Amino acid sequence: MDENELQIQQQIAWLETASPDDWHRAVLDFNWDWDIGPLFWIARQPQCDKATALTMFWLGQPAYYLILAAENGGTDDRREPVWDMLKFIAQRINANGYIRSKIAYAVDDLVEQDFDELVEKADQLANSPLKPHPDMRRALRGRRIVNDVDFYRRYPEDFHGTVLIELPDPSPLDKAWSALGRLWRH
């Protein structure tokens, strides 16, 4: 076993002990230049949150792979791990297979554009390897999950895909203004 395979196994071993919320945080932190084995592991878990799956799906740039399939005469002969994971997530979304939905997911203009492009490319293929589903562009209510200092204390440093910048703790006045701002929006 080479060093890369060992690191993937170690990261999956950590994920096995983590919560679905921490899986989401790991996805937010993930460096897509790495082997996506840990992401695909998350996507396959029964407790994978729908927001986590959607985050992985759109970060994986599915329209790009459909464009390649369209340029290849509609054949799906690409054997790339990211593409395999994206097809898996799409199939599971189409089958309503992501039951857990406790994490918020916001749909922005880029997701809207990517979804429209995905539909357009899928319609160009007689047998699209990836079927767009309206749930891929729907916002989800739930808890807003962010990567905070507490997560990075739990998450082994070898797995960090981003650089943690420690911000000073907010003052009591900052906390009060933040709470007042949250109340004002509701």
Side-chain angles (χ1 to χ4, degrees):
M1 174 181 322
D2 69 13
E3 187 176 324
N4 184 50
E5 290 171 337
L6 179 61
Q7 185 165 18
I8 292 166
Q9 284 185 348
Q10 290 172 336
Q11 188 167 14
I12 290 172
W14 184 86
L15 291 167
E16 288 173 337
T17 67
S19 70
D21 287 1
D22 276 348
W23 298 347
H24 192 85
R25 289 179 180 97
V27 168
L28 294 175
D29 180 75
F30 198 79
N31 180 338
W32 284 74
D33 290 334
W34 295 346
D35 187 303
I36 63 144
L39 295 184
F40 210 160
W41 180 89
I42 292 169
R44 289 182 173 120
Q45 300 311 301
Q47 287 299 308
C48 177
D49 198 275
K50 191 172 194 176
T52 305
L54 287 169
T55 300
M56 288 187 285
F57 184 77
W58 291 115
L59 287 175
Q61 302 178 338
Y64 165 78
Y65 291 97
L66 270 186
I67 290 168
L68 293 178
E71 290 174 354
N72 199 21
T75 60
D76 180 30
D77 59 358
R78 298 187 72 82
R79 294 291 161 233
E80 293 185 28
V82 172
W83 182 224
D84 290 340
M85 182 184 74
L86 296 175
K87 290 185 293 186
F88 175 86
I89 291 170
Q91 289 168 353
R92 191 166 168 191
I93 288 172
N94 276 284
N96 294 316
Y98 287 103
I99 306 300
R100 185 181 194 272
S101 186
K102 297 182 179 182
I103 299 173
Y105 181 76
V107 175
D108 59 17
D109 291 341
L110 292 175
V111 168
E112 290 286 347
Q113 291 170 2
D114 287 351
F115 183 82
D116 291 342
E117 186 174 21
L118 201 64
V119 169
E120 177 187 333
K121 294 303 173 192
D123 287 347
Q124 292 174 3
L125 301 170
N127 283 329
S128 177
L130 191 148
K131 307 263 188 268
H133 188 280
D135 282 356
M136 293 173 176
R137 74 179 322 162
R138 284 197 184 109
L140 301 172
R141 290 182 175 201
R143 290 187 313 280
R144 185 170 168 262
I145 302 294
V146 296
N147 289 2
D148 53 17
V149 172
D150 288 337
F151 170 69
Y152 284 107
R153 286 186 184 126
R154 293 188 306 276
Y155 196 49
E157 192 169 330
D158 289 349
F159 308 146
H160 292 191
T162 58
V163 177
L164 174 63
I165 300 172
E166 288 205 38
L167 300 173
D169 287 333
S171 72
L173 184 58
D174 290 333
K175 290 178 183 179
W177 278 113
S178 178
L180 184 59
R182 285 193 302 274
L183 287 173
W184 187 263
R185 284 180 282 193
H186 297 302

